[in-house]
């Protein structure tokens, strides 16, 4: 049997297939089902210091088969209630809180809060594709200096994964800025900023108008971003891991990200309403490794990089 164990920022995981933030993660019970199914780790929905109600609906629409547009508006109960509800220390697999804030100070407070509650690693959401009152007026992940400042504020309290946007000219430069600010890892990509129009109503489909696109179409975009981030980090002399996200619906898709140099992957949209699918994707990755004769993830990680011009 292939050995899929992997280390991620000090955490030892049984396999590299993680739950992405914002999918099937609203209750501890669903997280427990995904842990039982064989997930490597679980990333929670985005948590802010104070509760956020989210946007008016519609917040989600299927714009092509399996392709979704969403603008939820980061609804969450706020840090205090989240910590009451979710156990960040126990559990079968690590639970990684995802944090969202409009200022570096608030990222620092959130990171201190989850570290105090036992989290060993947090993901910071620098890349919600439709911020309303975002710090600096941009997606934080579109500005290397803003991304670095937010990362440093959170990384002062615990190891952090900085979640990046595909909507940038040079994702490698943002990844390097996060590494130099003390990130333990970056994850790429968040959803792609997008829009759909209802031709009967002659208005945007979503209540917020703009949203983020997810589903299988994101796979080639995510692979490009991960490969570019991995290469930029290597060129700059950083060993920091990259986590691949976007369009994964099978073990084969997960293998593609690892071939591009990803340390681990996160899966979201393809889970649909089926939490157990996460463990099945991990098992499929193991099957792919056995068929190819790979005993460990290190044996094939980054193999696609040698083909770059
Ligand atoms: C949302 O809650 O609207 C999506 C958040 C995100 O994509 O970062």
């Amino acid at each position: 049997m292939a050995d899929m164990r992997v280390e991620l920022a000090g955490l030892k995981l049984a396999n590299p297939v993680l739950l992405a933030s914002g999918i099937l993660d609203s209750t501890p019970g669903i997280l427990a089902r995904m842990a039982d199914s064989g997930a490597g780790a679980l990333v929670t929905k985005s948590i802010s210091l104070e509760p956020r109600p989210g946007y008016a609906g519609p917040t989600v629409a299927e714009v092509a088969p399996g392709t979704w547009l969403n603008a939820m508006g980061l609804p969450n109960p706020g840090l205090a209630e989240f910590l009451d509800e979710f156990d960040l220390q126990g559990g079968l697999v690590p639970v990684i809180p995802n944090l969202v804030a409009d200022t570096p100070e608030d990222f620092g407070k959130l990171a201190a809060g989850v570290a105090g509650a036992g989290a060993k690693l947090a993901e910071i959401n620098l890349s919600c594709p439709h911020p309303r009152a975002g710090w600096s007026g941009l997606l934080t992940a579109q500005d290397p200096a803003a991304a670095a400042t937010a990362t440093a504020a959170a990384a002062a309290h615990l190891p952090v994964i900085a979640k990046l946007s595909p909507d940038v000219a040079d994702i490698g430069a943002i990844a390097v800025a996060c590494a130099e600010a003390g990130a333990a890892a970056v994850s790429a990509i968040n959803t792609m900023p997008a829009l759909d129009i209802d031709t009967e109503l002659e208005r945007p489909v979503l209540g917020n108008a703009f949203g983020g696109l997810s589903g299988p179409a994101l796979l080639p975009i995510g692979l490009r971003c991960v490969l570019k981030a991995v290469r930029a980090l290597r060129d700059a002399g950083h060993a920091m891991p990259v986590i691949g996200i976007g369009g994964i619906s099978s073990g084969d898709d997960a293998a593609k990200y690892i071939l591009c140099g990803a340390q681990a992957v996160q899966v979201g949209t393809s889970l649909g309403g089926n939490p157990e699918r996460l463990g099945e994707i991990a098992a499929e990755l193991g099957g792919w490794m056995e068929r190819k004769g790979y005993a460990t993830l290190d044996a094939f990680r980054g193999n696609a990089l040698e083909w770059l011009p």
Side-chain angles (χ1 to χ4, degrees), residues 46 55 70-75 125 127-130 163 190-191 212:
S46 292
Y55 296 152
N70 89 83
M72 313 291 296
L74 301 160
N125 186 353
S127 48
C128 174
H130 42 75
K163 186 166 182 178
N190 205 325
T191 54

Side-chain angles (χ1 to χ4, degrees), residues 151-173:
T151 298
H157 302 280
L158 83 170
V160 295
I161 304 164
K163 186 166 182 178
L164 305 186
S165 170
D167 189 24
V168 291
D170 182 3
I171 197 165

Side-chain angles (χ1 to χ4, degrees), residues 64-83:
T67 305
W68 292 83
L69 188 62
N70 89 83
M72 313 291 296
L74 301 160
N76 77 90
L79 180 65
E81 196 174 320
F82 170 76
L83 293 180

Side-chain angles (χ1 to χ4, degrees), residues 126 140-148 151 160-165 168-189 224-243:
L126 305 181
T140 309
Q142 285 177 331
D143 175 348
T151 298
V160 295
I161 304 164
K163 186 166 182 178
L164 305 186
S165 170
V168 291
D170 182 3
I171 197 165
I174 312 280
V176 169
C178 292
E180 290 176 355
V186 290
S187 53
I189 51 178
R224 172 180 179 272
C225 287
V226 164
L227 195 134
K228 289 190 74 160
V230 166
R231 189 168 61 170
L233 287 163
R234 281 190 190 174
D235 289 351
H238 295 293
M240 187 183 73
V242 176
I243 301 169

Side-chain angles (χ1 to χ4, degrees), residues 18 24 81 149 172 231:
L18 281 58
L24 291 177
E81 196 174 320
T149 311
R231 189 168 61 170

